[in-house]
Amino acid sequence: MAKPGKYSLWNNDIIETDKATVAITSSAVLYGLSVYSVFFAKYREDGLLGFRVPEHITRIKQSAKIIGLNHTEEFLNKEVFLKNIHKLIEVNKPTSDQFFRLTIHATEILPGVRTTDLELALSVFMYEAKNILPQDKARLKTSLWRRTADTAIPARAKVNGAYVNSALAKQDALDSGVDDCLFLNQNGYVSELSAANIFMVKRGVLVTPDPASDILEGITRRSIIEIAKRNKIKVVERKVALTELYASDEVFACGTSAFVSPITQIDQRTIGTGVAGEMTMFLKEILRNEQKDKNSDWVTIL
Ligand code: PMP
C-alpha cells in the first residue's frame, strides 16, 4: 500500500493529511460525487518535474463540467495551484518519484441527489510513484463487467463513484490470477483497462480505441499518439474488436500510473512473441525521457 505524504493541500491550506477529512453527510461520501486526476512528477535533487500538469488541471475541470459540478473555473487557478504544490513539496520533502492526486469533492451537506451549485473543496495529496502493472509482461482477462456507457456514467469524466466499475473488474481479474481486466463496452468493442488505456500494434500501425469507445481520454494516451506521430508511426483511433488484440503483434497499456506496460497475455492467449514488443519499448523509452527532461514542453518544474 502506498503511503501518502504527511501533509496535504486542502483548498489553499497545507494541513496534516490525517486531518483532511470529508463529512459523512456530504455528497462526496453519499454518492461518490467527486472528480479527480493524478499526475506524475519525476524526482530530481534540484526539484520535481511535473508531467503535463496544465492538462491535468484542464481535465479535472472538464470532468466536473461533464457531470454538472459548476463554479470550478476560478476554483483551480493554475498559478495559485502551482504555488501551493510548491509549498506542499517543501513540507513533505520527497526523495523519490511522486504521484499527485487532486480531487474536487462535493462537500455540500445533504443536498439530495443533484450535482449543480454544490459547495466544493479541493484536496491534493502526494505519494511515492510505483507502477500499478508489471513492467515487462502483464496479463489481462476480458471482464464480465462491461465499461459504463457514456449514457450511464461517462468514462470520459474521472468521477470517483464511477470507479466502482473499475474495482469490480480489477478484483475479478485479480481473483483469476492475472494483473488487470480488459473492459469491453456495451457494444462489445474494446474499451480500456481498470485505470489505463490500451494500444495494439499490427503490421507497424498503432491502433487504439477511439474516444467514443467509452474510454477515459488519457493524457498518457494522447502523449503516446503525439510521440508516435512525431516519429512517423501511423496511428489509427477506431473501434477495436477483442479478437484483433488476440491476433496483434504487440499490445500495451498506458496511463499515469501504468506508464507504458507491455501486455503479453490476454485470456490465456500469448500476444505476439510473448515478450515486450519493439514498438512498445521504443515508445516507453521516449515517454520516460520526456518525463525526466526539464526542457520538455510537457514538463513543469515544481
Ligand atoms: N483510463 C482510466 C479508467 C484511468 O483511470 C486512467 C488513469 N487516469 C487512464 C485511462 C489513463 O489516463 P492518464 O493517462 O490521463 O493517467
Side-chain angles (χ1 to χ4, degrees), residues 136-142 176-182 193 198 245-246 250-251 261-276:
D136 47 351
K137 40 180 183 185
R139 292 159 309 150
L140 305 183
K141 173 194 179 224
T142 302
S176 303
V178 299
D179 303 301
D180 207 342
C181 59
L182 173 66
L193 277 63
I198 192 162
L245 293 182
Y246 292 168
E250 300 178 28
V251 173
S261 300
I263 307 292
T264 54
Q265 191 195 88
I266 302 176
D267 301 335
Q268 306 295 330
R269 287 152 179 89
T270 300
I271 304 302
T273 56
V275 295

Side-chain angles (χ1 to χ4, degrees), residues 1-4 127-128 130:
M1 282 288 287
K3 208 169 152 272
Y127 55 106
E128 190 177 353
K130 294 231 173 91

Side-chain angles (χ1 to χ4, degrees), residues 36-40 51 56 59 132 147 155 157-158 163 166 183 191-198 214-223 254-259:
Y36 78 100
S37 201
V38 179
F39 70 82
F40 172 72
F51 189 65
H56 282 275
R59 183 172 68 196
I132 53 169
R147 195 72 181 129
K158 223 167 149 45
Y163 277 74
S166 285
F183 270 123
S191 180
E192 57 182 344
L193 277 63
S194 63
N197 293 110
I198 192 162
D214 300 298
I215 61 167
L216 177 77
E217 289 174 73
I219 292 165
T220 319
R221 173 186 180 278
R222 206 191 318 156
S223 308
C254 73
T256 298
S257 340
F259 300 90

Side-chain angles (χ1 to χ4, degrees), residues 49-52 290-291 293-294 296-301:
L49 305 182
F51 189 65
R52 307 203 80 168
E290 285 281 349
Q291 289 178 329
D293 176 3
K294 64 178 180 185
S296 164
D297 289 346
W298 290 344
V299 161
T300 305
I301 301 172

Side-chain angles (χ1 to χ4, degrees), residues 9-10 19 27 42 82 86 115 124 131 149 151 190 213 231 240:
L9 186 68
W10 182 255
K19 308 233 161 77
S27 300
K42 183 81 201 157
L82 289 178
H86 191 70
T115 66
V124 182
N131 201 301
T151 48
V190 173
S213 292
N231 286 279
V240 175

